[in-house]
Amino acid sequence: MTVSSEARLGALIPHIPSLEERARALQADTTTPADQGAIEGLRDDYLQWYAQCLIVVPQALQAKFCDFYEGGAFTKRIKQFLEAPTQRNPLVPDDPSVAPNPLIPYWSNPIETTFVPSLLGQRQVLEEALESERSGLGETTAHVVEAACRRLPLAIRSMQRRHADRTPIVITDEYDVQDLLRTILVAMFEDVRPEEWTPSYAGGSSRMDFLLKREQLVIETKVTRSGHEARSIRDELAVDLLRYQAHPDCKILVCLVYDPEGLIDNPRGFEQDVTGAQGNITVRVAVVQGG
């Protein structure tokens, strides 16, 4: 099985606290020399981790990621720390009776100015790459889900033409639409979570129809009927969006508006009015007519 870039990035981040802890241990005591095996072990493990990161960090972020390791003539970073983590600053006097100058660090490559901030910088790059990977995954999935929603009338007509004159499966309300859409989604995605609670808003909470957690995508269904047409659907979506803004796994909302009787006069105009960025959520609306 091929491991996704998202999974590999996610697996690299948890190694960071251990690397930092081991590096701190090397400079924890100025009176006892650090174990050479611990120094070499940290160096080997970090460089192996660093090489694995370079395989999955996007090209656009690689220079930034590498700079946190390489450093330069005037900026000491991880490379300089690993080369001499226990080298004493030559400005520190040999005589222990001389009071240390608080402005002069004991180590030539102090962990707090070389290793730690650079490692945290690399973590930020990995998290940025991970967020970018998830965003791209979500956008691709949104296109796929929207396309599936637009073909819903074909699925409904197919269910009405059953083998050996069996009773047709009829879609009559929003719950039927949800059942049909769930059947389609579980055939396409491994992790489809129905009826996830959204966080509380204005003293109440509600359920979203479907959540694709890995893709950070929510699918909502609406069905028009007499008295519940374009204005009502738009108002419901406005309330839904206020709730979804606080949900950590909702970055994209795909809303299927099933309009079997054509009660929305201008379906493409309705889609354009609502589709787009709404706060921290990207909204895609598909008005599907006929059935």
Side-chain angles (χ1 to χ4, degrees):
M1 175 182 291
T2 301
V3 180
S4 68
S5 295
E6 178 191 351
R8 287 188 288 175
L9 284 164
L12 289 167
I13 293 174
H15 291 278
I16 292 174
S18 175
L19 292 171
E20 179 182 344
E21 181 181 359
R22 292 166 64 187
R24 287 187 181 279
L26 299 181
Q27 293 187 353
D29 189 353
T30 60
T31 61
T32 303
D35 179 68
Q36 188 62 32
I39 296 174
E40 294 176 358
L42 173 63
R43 185 182 300 134
D44 292 345
D45 289 346
Y46 171 83
L47 291 176
Q48 183 178 11
W49 176 83
Y50 179 71
Q52 291 173 345
C53 290
L54 292 181
I55 295 173
V56 292
V57 169
Q59 190 67 35
L61 295 174
Q62 286 214 357
K64 183 178 180 181
F65 188 83
C66 291
D67 182 62
F68 284 119
Y69 169 70
E70 294 287 348
F74 302 102
T75 305
K76 292 185 176 183
R77 297 199 184 275
I78 293 174
K79 181 179 180 181
Q80 289 76 24
F81 174 87
L82 292 177
E83 288 175 346
T86 57
Q87 182 181 77
R88 193 180 66 179
N89 190 332
L91 298 178
V92 174
D94 294 331
D95 187 351
S97 65
V98 177
N101 186 334
L103 300 179
I104 299 176
Y106 182 85
W107 306 105
S108 292
N109 300 304
I111 186 171
E112 296 296 348
T113 59
T114 58
F115 192 88
V116 170
S118 299
L119 190 64
L120 292 179
Q122 289 183 326
R123 179 178 189 137
Q124 290 176 349
V125 172
L126 291 176
E127 289 175 344
E128 184 179 348
L130 183 58
E131 182 63 27
S132 176
E133 189 73 24
R134 286 173 174 167
S135 176
L137 177 64
E139 288 293 336
T140 300
T141 302
H143 284 288
V144 172
V145 170
E146 182 184 346
C149 289
R150 293 193 183 279
R151 296 180 68 84
L152 203 66
L154 295 177
I156 292 172
R157 288 196 291 271
S158 177
M159 292 190 305
Q160 293 171 348
R161 298 190 298 269
R162 301 190 65 199
H163 180 72
D165 297 325
R166 292 175 181 266
T167 303
I169 299 174
V170 181
I171 301 297
T172 60
D173 57 25
E174 190 166 324
Y175 291 111
D176 290 335
V177 174
Q178 290 177 5
D179 289 340
L180 175 57
L181 185 58
R182 180 174 62 249
T183 301
I184 294 172
L185 291 173
V186 297
M188 300 168 63
F189 304 101
E190 292 183 355
D191 185 5
V192 179
R193 306 188 184 194
E195 299 295 305
E196 283 275 337
W197 283 106
T198 62
S200 176
Y201 169 75
S205 59
S206 65
R207 288 180 180 271
M208 61 180 70
D209 288 345
F210 303 104
L211 169 67
L212 304 182
K213 186 176 178 66
R214 176 170 173 255
E215 293 81 2
Q216 296 188 307
L217 186 147
V218 169
I219 303 102
E220 187 74 40
T221 58
K222 309 287 184 185
V223 177
T224 62
R225 58 184 183 277
S226 179
H228 188 252
E229 302 170 13
R231 182 184 295 275
S232 299
I233 298 292
R234 187 179 286 109
D235 291 345
E236 286 182 6
L237 269 175
V239 174
D240 289 341
L241 280 167
L242 289 174
R243 298 182 189 277
Y244 294 150
Q245 297 292 336
H247 197 288
D249 292 319
C250 181
K251 302 300 182 187
I252 302 175
L253 171 65
V254 176
C255 182
L256 162 63
V257 180
Y258 182 50
D259 183 27
E261 299 178 11
L263 299 178
I264 298 178
D265 294 331
N266 182 5
R268 300 293 83 81
F270 183 95
E271 291 176 352
Q272 291 174 8
D273 288 345
V274 184
T275 295
Q278 303 282 349
N280 59 356
I281 297 175
T282 300
V283 182
R284 302 179 68 91
V285 177
V287 177
V288 179
Q289 296 181 318

